[in-house]
Amino acid sequence: MNPKRKQRLMIVLFIVFGAAIAVGLVMYALNQNINLFYSPTDIAEGKAPEETRIRAGGMVVEGSVKRDPESLKVQFGMTDYAHSVTVTYEGILPDLFREGQGIVAQGEMNADGVFEAVEVLAKHDENYMPPEVAEALEKAGQMPDQVRAREAQQQ
Amino acid sequence: MADKKWMPRWFYQLASPRWCYDITGKLLPIFAVAAVLLLVTGTVWALMFAPADYQQGNSFRIIYIHVPSAILAQSCYMMMAVAGAIGLIWKMKVADMVAKSCAPIGATIAILALATGAIWGKPTWGSWWVWDARLTSMLILLFLYFGVMALNSAIESEQTAAQATAVLALVGLVNIPIIKYSVDWWNTLHQPATFTLTEKPAMPPEMWIPLLVMVIGFYCFFAVAMMLRLRNEIVRRERRSSWVRELISG
């Protein structure tokens, strides 16, 4: 390469790496704020702000969903397999909401340590599969969420 | 040129607008046929033969548009930035034209990715839009494309415009790894990557093979759209040269 081009190449590299370092530092500083939600562990450890609206995310605890027969009120446990938090919600839940499924809820912690959600969003993972495969895996206890729960218990 | 051996020969041939116009003319029909075949096969396969998801049912099938467009929107940006860098370093006019041709295509594909994502998000997550890291960084990508297009058309001199947009594209390049790793670095509502280069996809082959067909089809479509724009750009900029005059009058 002739010196002129080498010099311009250096400028280009400087732009790319300069921008990368600058943005990297900003994101390092803002790390916590970029997270969409707090985990039940964050809430248990007091990392989540209280008496203000926050998002909390985790898995719906198996067998914990209690629906009020008279209204749209629903109560369930949410866990990251280390800590759990009880969530209450009134409204229509998304189609993918079910036990063992990940969710992100927006709301506030009340004085009793119950999370009062005003919005519940369902999370899903990248393990797409046909219904027959899911059924077979379910029987064998090899579904991704079953495996995850088992691994978490072993730790 | 003193550094002729530093890069392969075709690299320097690419610098000639005329050679580039001829070669794209030959490649264009190949990519056009491949794009049509792959996209038709992929769509029919995805909509009729691929199995539905156990949780999401048929709404999962939007993945066959969403994932290819999201991948392509990022690849297109990388191509634009690399072409811009080559234009800056080697002062190659064709590279500037490639970078300029990429921007509107990339913007359209990014809009497609965001729109299909929103349509998918409503029934599955329960929301059209969430300000999580993946969605936000993808929106920034779209704005970067808009910025590149606006900057390019705001500057009168072709050469200055190309330099300015190349610098903007290079600065914005930092967004690409952010999009890719956003789902790993932070808690997001968006699920982790469907396709990675290093690992087998989590879903079974009857689901990911049609997806792969669609991804390759999208790339071929991009090649066609890019070459068409590039050829227009070459003819427009070289309109005063003798070979273009011959081409038009001929």
Side-chain angles (χ1 to χ4, degrees):
Chain A
M1 272 182 135
N2 69 30
K4 196 97 203 198
R5 284 178 194 169
K6 199 170 265 173
Q7 196 185 5
R8 289 198 295 249
L9 176 69
M10 285 304 155
I11 294 171
V12 166
L13 290 178
F14 178 76
I15 293 171
V16 172
F17 286 103
I21 291 166
V23 174
L25 287 173
V26 169
M27 295 215 291
Y28 180 73
L30 295 178
N31 201 7
Q32 195 57 51
N33 292 333
I34 300 174
N35 284 327
L36 183 70
F37 54 84
Y38 293 97
S39 68
T41 303
D42 291 337
I43 293 170
E45 287 172 357
K47 280 187 194 156
E50 280 164 36
E51 287 171 3
T52 178
R53 184 167 290 185
I54 57 166
R55 286 207 189 88
M59 294 288 179
V60 180
V61 179
E62 296 275 354
S64 72
V65 179
K66 289 192 205 89
R67 283 174 206 272
D68 182 352
E70 304 291 308
S71 67
L72 286 171
K73 284 201 182 96
V74 57
Q75 184 191 342
F76 54 88
M78 187 170 69
T79 180
D80 58 2
Y81 303 117
H83 290 88
S84 299
V85 60
T86 306
V87 181
T88 58
Y89 177 65
E90 181 166 10
I92 297 167
L93 291 162
D95 286 358
L96 280 195
F97 179 91
R98 58 196 75 178
E99 291 173 358
Q101 185 74 28
I103 58 145
V104 174
Q106 197 182 75
E108 216 171 290
M109 291 301 290
N110 70 10
D112 310 328
V114 173
F115 191 82
E116 289 174 358
V118 291
E119 183 190 36
V120 173
L121 300 176
K123 214 169 136 55
H124 66 86
D125 58 19
E126 72 284 19
N127 301 306
Y128 311 103
M129 60 182 96
E132 311 85 68
V133 176
E135 210 171 290
L137 284 184
E138 184 88 64
K139 254 184 217 156
Q142 289 296 325
M143 283 295 272
D145 57 312
Q146 292 170 328
V147 174
R148 249 192 323 266
R150 223 175 13 243
E151 278 169 1
Q153 269 165 13
Q154 276 165 8
Q155 274 165 15
Chain B
M1 268 190 264
D3 57 342
K4 211 154 198 182
K5 287 192 196 83
W6 199 75
M7 291 292 250
R9 202 165 72 101
W10 59 263
F11 184 78
Y12 294 97
Q13 281 179 324
L14 271 179
S16 147
R18 184 175 184 180
W19 188 84
C20 211
Y21 187 86
D22 290 340
I23 193 82
T24 50
K26 285 186 195 118
L27 290 175
L28 203 50
I30 303 172
F31 279 100
V33 170
V36 171
L37 283 180
L38 287 166
L39 289 177
V40 170
T41 317
T43 309
V44 172
W45 194 344
L47 293 185
M48 301 182 65
F49 300 106
D53 182 57
Y54 73 111
Q55 282 186 326
Q56 301 176 29
N58 284 322
S59 62
F60 144 85
R61 290 180 201 276
I62 199 166
I63 196 176
Y64 294 108
I65 305 288
H66 178 71
V67 167
S69 53
I71 293 176
L72 183 57
Q74 295 169 69
S75 302
C76 180
Y77 191 91
M78 285 196 277
M79 181 165 177
M80 184 173 78
V82 169
I86 293 172
L88 275 183
I89 298 165
W90 279 273
K91 300 275 173 210
M92 207 185 262
K93 261 198 287 180
V94 175
D96 293 344
M97 295 185 216
V98 168
K100 193 182 171 185
S101 315
C102 280
I105 308 169
T108 315
I109 301 287
I111 290 172
L112 185 65
L114 289 167
T116 50
I119 294 167
W120 195 7
K122 185 65 192 169
T124 48
W125 299 342
S127 172
W128 296 101
W129 185 265
V130 185
W131 291 102
D132 87 345
R134 174 54 80 76
L135 277 66
T136 310
S137 55
M138 199 64 196
L139 188 68
I140 292 172
L141 181 75
L142 177 64
F143 290 159
L144 278 168
Y145 276 125
F146 286 158
V148 164
M149 285 156 69
L151 188 60
N152 201 297
S153 53
I155 300 172
E156 194 78 34
S157 147
E158 303 267 16
Q159 208 191 350
T160 318
Q163 283 174 351
T165 46
V167 171
L168 176 59
L170 285 167
V171 170
L173 199 57
V174 68
N175 190 36
I176 296 293
I178 297 176
I179 297 177
K180 179 160 169 39
Y181 294 108
S182 54
V183 287
D184 303 324
W185 290 343
W186 301 293
N187 294 334
T188 55
L189 188 62
H190 195 285
Q191 65 283 3
T194 311
F195 266 161
T196 56
L197 286 175
T198 47
E199 275 173 66
K200 229 167 86 63
M203 50 182 168
E206 64 263 40
M207 283 177 160
W208 67 255
I209 293 173
L211 184 55
L212 187 64
V213 171
M214 287 300 276
V215 171
I216 301 169
F218 264 68
Y219 272 103
C220 290
F221 165 77
F222 166 72
V224 172
M226 219 280 297
M227 285 192 279
L228 285 172
R229 291 195 82 92
L230 177 62
R231 283 159 67 81
N232 278 345
E233 191 66 20
I234 290 174
V235 170
R236 194 180 66 78
R237 281 218 220 166
E238 300 290 306
R239 61 188 177 277
R240 281 188 256 290
S241 71
S242 56
W243 71 271
V244 173
R245 286 181 190 206
E246 257 172 57
L247 189 82
I248 292 164
S249 62

